[in-house]
Amino acid sequence: DTVLETRNLAVTYTGDRRVEAVKGVDLSFPENRLTAIIGPSGCGKSTYLKALDRLHDIQPNVEVTGEVYLRGEPVYDTDVPAPELRRRIGYVPQDPTPLPLSIYENVAYGLRIHDLHDSKDDLDDRVERYLRQVDLWDEVADRLDAPAAGLSTGQIQRLCLARSLAVEPDVLLCDEVTSALDPVSAENVEETLAGLAEEYTIVMVTHSMDQARRLADEVVFLYLGEVVEANDVRSFFENP
Ligand code: ADP
Ligand code: ADP
């Protein structure tokens, strides 16, 4: 089943210089697969990913045309409010900032906002479940009330993954989530992603072919804002 789909999606920056960053992309992202979008720096990966979550809406001088569908429903031209849209389409950036709250509250926050728990015990259970899913529970279980800002950058990256997953999105978008990390933290986050890929629908942007080869089920190669190849990972790397 297709979770997310774009038809003729184009994004143009209309500031001082006109940049057609994404030029009419048709793609569909299947359920419970990790799709890696790869390609050289500046090819439009990040611009495309942000369009899926309507993150360009909040910037001036950006034009988005074409269509995005989430489980068949339009993402643009819809009455679905932004918070509900962003709950259903989770987005984790390269260098996320935790909320200025405790480790526990960073995960609990969205569950409270979206009313996704029915008791304090249930909230505790969910916070633990998602911290375990990102392999963070053992590192933080004894200091859940400590400020999240005190964690290492790799731990913050995993915390922000947990925060996105806790609100039960249909799809998780990950934008270069290991790029800002030291090698050991990057490896930890990559291992976490490999685990999540078993259970979730993930669209991941990476500049690393090797990371795509290690993690992805499906690979999309973008070049100058256009899809050059979209294939399952085995075929993609077998036929250069
Ligand atoms: P990638 O993620 O593949 O590195 P980007 O999506 O960041 O590529 O950028 C695609 C193109 O759009 C590049 O030419 C980049 O310089 C340009 N671009 C990105 N953001 C902006 C912006 N805010 N204003 C103008 N041009 C931009
Ligand atoms: P990423 O690597 O996460 O895609 P970049 O380093 O490309 O991010 O861009 C960082 C910020 O600068 C983004 O907000 C992007 O939109 C903006 N940006 C990137 N390229 C340009 C550009 N050519 N002109 C203006 N802004 C840009």
Side-chain angles (χ1 to χ4, degrees):
D1 276 13
T2 294
V3 175
L4 196 62
E5 183 176 2
T6 68
R7 289 199 206 137
N8 203 21
L9 187 72
V11 185
T12 303
Y13 295 103
T14 59
D16 303 344
R17 197 168 54 93
R18 204 178 155 82
V19 181
E20 292 179 30
V22 172
K23 301 171 186 166
V25 169
D26 294 304
L27 284 172
S28 50
F29 301 104
E31 182 140 41
N32 290 334
R33 293 278 193 285
L34 189 153
T35 304
I37 300 178
I38 63 177
S41 180
C43 71
K45 302 183 295 296
S46 184
T47 299
Y48 176 76
L49 199 71
K50 285 175 182 155
L52 300 177
D53 212 4
R54 294 185 59 169
L55 291 168
H56 299 296
D57 289 11
I58 52 179
Q59 303 277 358
N61 306 323
V62 189
E63 264 173 31
V64 180
T65 61
E67 289 144 69
V68 181
Y69 295 95
L70 176 64
R71 296 202 184 278
E73 298 165 42
V75 163
Y76 289 81
D77 298 319
T78 165
D79 295 332
V80 177
E84 176 58 15
L85 178 72
R86 305 243 160 77
R87 183 192 71 72
R88 295 185 61 189
I89 307 177
Y91 177 84
V92 181
Q94 179 172 333
D95 198 2
T97 314
L99 300 166
L101 298 169
S102 67
I103 294 166
Y104 180 96
E105 281 302 325
N106 262 270
V107 182
Y109 181 81
L111 294 163
R112 295 187 196 279
I113 296 281
H114 295 288
D115 206 18
L116 284 170
H117 65 100
D118 43 44
S119 65
K120 171 69 175 138
D121 281 351
D122 183 36
L123 189 63
D124 289 351
D125 287 349
R126 286 172 189 251
V127 168
E128 177 174 342
R129 185 189 322 156
Y130 290 101
L131 286 171
R132 283 191 188 282
Q133 276 205 321
V134 299
D135 310 315
L136 200 54
W137 177 255
D138 292 341
E139 293 165 50
V140 302
D142 61 347
R143 52 188 171 124
L144 293 175
D145 294 328
L151 296 173
S152 73
T153 50
Q155 289 173 324
I156 286 172
Q157 191 55 277
R158 283 179 281 143
L159 181 69
C160 291
L161 284 167
R163 187 173 89 189
S164 291
L165 294 174
V167 296
E168 301 174 8
D170 292 8
V171 56
L172 185 67
L173 311 179
C174 296
D175 195 351
E176 298 273 13
V177 290
T178 62
S179 296
L181 305 175
D182 64 87
V184 172
S185 303
E187 203 179 310
N188 290 339
V189 169
E190 194 176 297
E191 276 171 22
T192 294
L193 283 173
L196 297 178
E198 308 284 314
E199 264 182 78
Y200 293 97
T201 306
I202 299 176
V203 181
M204 175 185 91
V205 159
T206 178
H207 63 269
S208 165
M209 291 275 224
D210 287 332
Q211 186 172 62
R213 193 200 303 262
R214 288 191 296 265
L215 290 179
D217 301 302
E218 309 285 329
V219 182
V220 173
F221 190 85
L222 269 190
Y223 187 67
L224 297 175
E226 293 180 289
V227 175
V228 174
E229 185 180 351
N231 222 329
D232 66 274
V233 67
R234 186 181 292 230
S235 312
F236 185 92
F237 286 106
E238 270 176 8
N239 315 307

